[in-house]
Amino acid sequence: MSRFYVTTPIYYVNGMPHIGHIFTTVVADTLARYRRSRGQEVRFLTGTDEHGQNIERAAENEGIRPIELADRIVERYHELWKILDISHEDFVRTTEDRHARGVEEMIQRLVAAEDLYTARHEGWYCPSCETFYTDKELVPENRCPVHETAAEWHSEENIFFRLSNYQQPLLDLFEQHPEFVQPGTRLNEVRSFVESGLRDLSVSRAGLTWGIPFPEHEGQTVYVWLDALTNYISALGFGSEATDLYDTFWQGGDERLHLVGKDILRFHAVYWPAFLMSAGLPLPTTVWAHGWWLLDKKKVSKSVGNVVRPDALIERFGADSLRYFLLREMVFGQDAQFSDEGFIERYNSDLANTLGNTVSRLVTLSRRAFGGQTPPLSCDDNPLIGAAEEAVVGFHQAMGELAFSRALESLWKLLSQANQYIVEREPWKMIKDESKRDALARVLWNGLEATRIATTALLPFMPQVAPKVLAAIAGDAENGDLDWGGTPVDAELPESGPLFPRIDQKAYLAEIAAAAEAESSNEQARQQAAEMEEPSDEGLIKIDQFFESELRVGTVKLAEAVPKSNKLLRLEIDLGEETLRQVVAGIAKQYAPEDLVGTQVVVVANLAPAKLMGVQSRGMVLAATVDGQPVVIRPETPVENGTRVS
Ligand code: MSP
């Protein structure tokens, strides 16, 4: 049995999911369901990307710990995936231990391949992308090309990956396996990026605490993209004892497909295969980059501030209507516009009219003519047979190319043909004529059968509604047969209500405009109330609490390295007391003993004593942390030893 592994990107947890996030997961789910129905052994993975500066900052803004923020957003993802009936086998979080094990194993392999080294790293950095950009890549005023927000200048000591060594191997890969990047136009983009030269990539960050500590490099954290990309194999058990899934779906899998948005293609089609080559591991077979959902021509995104949330649409139209819209409206690989008008038009024309009306017309006529049952005769000679065969061939072909919209078009063409076939034969007139009973039976059975085939093929797209449609026409959701002839004769046809009630577009648009207006005036009222409120005491301390710390100036009389530590210095400081104070400070990398002896520093003098590398420290030297490096605080002019700082 062929083994198919499909993944979505793992989503950042600094905001609630919007339709851009839902889209890739719905696509992956549809494909996973389709492949299962074709008898493949499927593993479908999704998850969340929880480390990095973005998440740290978002949590800080809310005054909570990053993991609390992550837990909350992850909960929302779980809820949504349940509502949308997403059939993933696994959900990985980068804060899980199993993931850290995978990342550590990956790093060990990069070290073994001698592809890592330490150097200073300076450049323009976009915290939202968590990546460095060259001057050329930035848009005017040093702004990030993706987010158009101001890039920040970063300068720090980092661990680098020898990406430059992989330029030729990557170009060879694109040459030998052009299917590695899909669609083809994207392959050209990636190829010219690689051809223009690859610089080594910094794979650690200093001064970032929310992440996986870089093994053997104190103070360095694994770069979020090296961390995040490894999820695809850590979730299969890479780096652990239990590697069954890894062996089955990665090492021994037939297809390893990453579905990603075009904005993160470079990470998946350049960095990730380079890491894997270095580690001596198999590569994904394809990285498929889809386009963006746009609203008013701009990418739907939190940083642009134009997010489309799924909640109201799901509540009003049902989860499967949203799934259908996303898969039908976007030509996979290109950008697509979202609009409420567009959504209703699709819903009304495709679901309420073509599918809903065809089903209800057939069921009503059949029930009326044949005592609440399907017709008593089947038929194997009529124009719908050829139409159905053609639709099924077109459907499979489109699914093979991940052309979801075209796959649905094939099915809707068949539904329209079935509808037209019925309209032309006017079965409502035949009902009154006893001599046309057999002909009537065949016409209605043919209509039902064509609808059954289209709806059966629709199961991976609409996993909640398609079974209901099938139940309404005496079809069987368990039997995914797309060959002509599956509709039973003389079977019970239950009475059913409308499957897709038509929506009055004007009324609906007025309703959502009013809701948006109410929301914005509520928001204004909330803001006004917040401005009028007394400033809250939360997070603040009283002056006497501050004075509980005894900060004093003292002169360093002696400084020496603490044995076996490259970070700690032992200082003896004159704080105006009878004896010198022994204080241990973590500043050895930045300050030589001679930089300190004879100079004045500020000491927290009433700190409880502690032992550092076996040396007792009675106090702490104050320093500012700049890019992860300590800068010692000193008085501007000499003051008497022991002077209090306040
Ligand atoms: N955490 C990284 C991915 C790491 S994968 C190892 C990330 N997260 S994200 O939450 O910002 O984006 C996740 C996915 O959502 C990306 O594929 C991105 O392209 C997609 N989308 C976000 N907004 C989108 C649209 N408006 N339209 C379509 N997809 C877009 O990047």
Side-chain angles (χ1 to χ4, degrees):
M1 201 192 294
S2 105
R3 294 150 170 181
F4 175 59
Y5 183 42
V6 60
T7 65
T8 72
I10 46 172
Y11 303 101
Y12 287 134
V13 290
N14 56 343
M16 292 293 182
H18 59 64
I19 59 160
H21 305 127
I22 285 171
F23 176 66
T24 326
T25 311
V26 165
V27 167
D29 181 63
T30 303
L31 194 59
R33 286 173 182 275
Y34 171 73
R35 295 298 193 91
R36 286 185 204 114
S37 79
R38 306 287 288 164
Q40 289 190 325
E41 194 178 349
V42 172
R43 186 139 190 111
F44 164 20
L45 172 74
T46 187
T48 40
D49 187 354
E50 306 187 7
H51 288 136
Q53 203 175 4
N54 271 331
I55 318 287
E56 201 175 30
R57 284 186 185 174
E60 208 173 274
N61 285 343
E62 288 197 37
I64 56 176
R65 289 179 304 138
I67 193 67
E68 292 177 80
L69 175 64
D71 286 346
R72 190 175 76 210
I73 305 281
V74 165
E75 196 44 46
R76 180 71 192 123
Y77 271 102
H78 283 313
E79 267 169 36
L80 250 182
W81 295 163
K82 200 160 176 219
I83 292 170
L84 286 160
D85 211 359
I86 303 299
S87 63
H88 50 296
E89 270 81 20
D90 197 1
F91 186 105
V92 65
R93 300 182 58 175
T94 54
T95 46
E96 287 175 87
D97 272 355
R98 61 168 175 159
H99 174 68
R101 298 295 83 81
V103 172
E104 283 155 11
E105 170 72 26
M106 186 71 171
I107 289 174
Q108 237 175 49
R109 285 172 177 250
L110 304 186
V111 171
E114 298 184 357
D115 273 335
L116 298 184
Y117 64 94
T118 306
R120 177 153 285 277
H121 193 197
E122 287 189 329
W124 293 104
Y125 186 77
C126 169
S128 299
C129 300
E130 310 239 16
T131 196
F132 281 90
Y133 285 102
T134 61
D135 286 342
K136 260 203 274 170
E137 287 170 321
L138 293 173
V139 293
E141 295 176 22
N142 290 338
R143 289 179 177 274
C144 161
V146 176
H147 296 91
E148 295 181 19
T149 46
E152 297 172 3
W153 182 256
H154 271 216
S155 167
E156 58 188 44
E157 188 101 324
N158 284 160
I159 298 143
F160 280 79
F161 170 70
R162 294 188 200 281
L163 182 62
S164 53
N165 280 356
Y166 291 91
Q167 179 167 2
Q168 198 49 49
L170 285 167
L171 292 174
D172 294 344
L173 166 71
F174 303 151
E175 188 63 32
Q176 287 153 18
H177 294 282
E179 76 286 357
F180 179 73
V181 177
Q182 300 259 27
T185 46
R186 298 271 169 230
L187 174 64
N188 297 340
E189 268 171 33
V190 175
R191 189 191 288 118
S192 46
F193 172 73
V194 174
E195 274 167 352
S196 71
L198 292 179
R199 287 174 304 148
D200 288 349
L201 179 73
S202 142
V203 288
S204 76
R205 293 284 176 269
L208 176 76
T209 48
W210 182 235
I212 298 176
F214 207 101
E216 313 287 328
H217 288 268
E218 207 184 313
Q220 296 281 345
T221 298
V222 178
Y223 171 47
V224 277
W225 275 100
L226 173 55
D227 171 343
L229 288 161
T230 306
N231 89 87
Y232 299 129
I233 52 176
S234 69
L236 294 174
F238 175 76
S240 78
E241 305 276 289
T243 57
D244 290 8
L245 288 170
Y246 173 80
D247 296 339
T248 306
F249 289 99
W250 197 267
Q251 197 76 37
D254 297 292
E255 246 183 292
R256 298 171 289 274
L257 170 67
H258 296 318
L259 298 172
V260 301
K262 62 181 181 181
D263 47 328
I264 57 170
L265 177 60
R266 185 186 299 179
F267 301 100
H268 286 82
V270 179
Y271 301 168
W272 179 226
F275 294 150
L276 289 167
M277 285 177 189
S278 169
L281 302 173
L283 311 184
T285 47
T286 296
V287 177
W288 228 107
H290 62 73
W292 287 338
W293 283 97
L294 310 175
L295 187 72
D296 300 330
K297 303 208 173 111
K298 286 212 153 142
K299 180 188 178 202
V300 168
S301 119
K302 185 169 165 245
S303 25
V304 177
N306 62 349
V307 290
V308 178
R309 301 263 180 236
D311 313 72
L313 293 168
I314 292 176
E315 198 177 310
R316 182 66 187 258
F317 299 93
D320 275 6
S321 302
L322 177 58
R323 288 178 63 119
Y324 175 80
F325 172 81
L326 294 174
L327 290 158
R328 175 66 184 83
E329 193 73 12
M330 182 182 268
V331 173
F332 201 57
Q334 297 175 16
D335 290 348
Q337 281 288 340
F338 178 88
S339 73
D340 287 303
E341 290 84 345
F343 190 97
I344 302 187
E345 272 162 28
R346 271 266 164 245
Y347 173 89
N348 276 343
S349 83
D350 295 9
L351 298 177
N353 277 1
T354 310
L355 179 58
N357 283 351
T358 307
V359 168
S360 91
R361 175 179 282 166
L362 286 165
V363 170
T364 310
L365 287 170
S366 210
R367 278 179 54 83
R368 181 139 49 100
F370 303 108
Q373 293 190 327
T374 55
L377 292 173
S378 61
C379 172
D380 56 11
D381 178 19
N382 66 81
L384 284 183
I385 299 180
E389 271 168 13
E390 202 180 299
V392 170
V393 169
F395 174 76
H396 285 315
Q397 197 177 357
M399 289 304 280
E401 293 167 25
L402 269 59
F404 303 100
S405 183
R406 218 176 70 222
L408 288 170
E409 256 178 69
S410 284
L411 304 184
W412 255 254
K413 184 170 168 203
L414 175 59
L415 289 170
S416 300
Q417 285 166 325
N419 211 6
Q420 198 188 346
Y421 168 87
I422 294 160
V423 170
E424 280 167 5
R425 281 159 186 75
E426 300 183 313
W428 43 92
K429 289 190 182 154
M430 295 171 156
I431 284 189
K432 295 167 203 143
D433 187 343
E434 194 52 35
S435 70
K436 297 208 168 123
R437 206 171 151 70
D438 283 2
L440 173 66
R442 288 195 188 92
V443 167
L444 293 180
W445 188 88
N446 288 338
L448 285 167
E449 175 59 1
T451 310
R452 182 196 68 80
I453 290 174
T455 312
T456 302
L458 190 60
L459 280 163
F461 290 76
M462 303 183 82
Q464 300 177 58
V465 168
K468 287 188 191 151
V469 177
L470 284 172
I473 56 175
D476 178 3
E478 296 306 311
N479 170 3
D481 196 353
L482 298 181
D483 290 337
W484 188 264
T487 295
V489 294
D490 291 330
E492 214 53 43
L493 267 184
E495 202 170 351
S496 63
L499 292 157
F500 303 100
R502 220 188 137 72
I503 301 283
D504 177 338
Q505 182 174 20
K506 249 191 176 164
Y508 175 73
L509 293 175
E511 191 186 305
I512 55 175
E517 179 118 336
E519 175 56 29
S520 108
S521 38
N522 280 347
E523 182 53 29
Q524 268 176 16
R526 269 198 295 274
Q527 272 175 13
Q528 272 172 9
E531 277 162 21
M532 284 162 67
E533 253 178 35
E534 289 285 312
S536 120
D537 278 357
E538 219 175 298
L540 304 178
I541 58 166
K542 300 257 166 23
I543 186 81
D544 36 335
Q545 283 173 285
F546 168 73
F547 279 117
E548 283 174 15
S549 323
E550 195 186 315
L551 308 179
R552 293 191 185 276
V553 177
T555 301
V556 180
K557 295 290 186 186
L558 178 147
E560 63 180 20
V562 169
K564 290 199 218 122
S565 164
N566 57 2
K567 209 174 154 194
L568 300 180
L569 286 182
R570 186 181 78 82
L571 311 175
E572 288 189 10
I573 302 174
D574 180 354
L575 282 179
E577 298 166 325
E578 277 179 16
T579 51
L580 298 178
R581 272 288 183 119
Q582 175 167 292
V583 174
V584 177
I587 54 177
K589 282 191 183 161
Q590 294 72 27
Y591 293 86
E594 57 272 24
D595 297 336
L596 294 162
V597 174
T599 68
Q600 286 195 309
V601 294
V602 180
V603 174
V604 185
N606 61 341
L607 206 60
K611 270 199 171 167
L612 297 165
M613 297 285 284
V615 183
Q616 195 184 56
S617 178
R618 291 180 50 235
M620 182 174 89
V621 173
L622 287 193
T625 305
V626 181
D627 287 337
Q629 326 265 344
V631 176
V632 169
I633 307 293
R634 293 164 156 155
E636 194 185 10
T637 50
V639 297
E640 199 176 325
N641 286 334
T643 305
R644 193 145 182 191
V645 177
S646 58

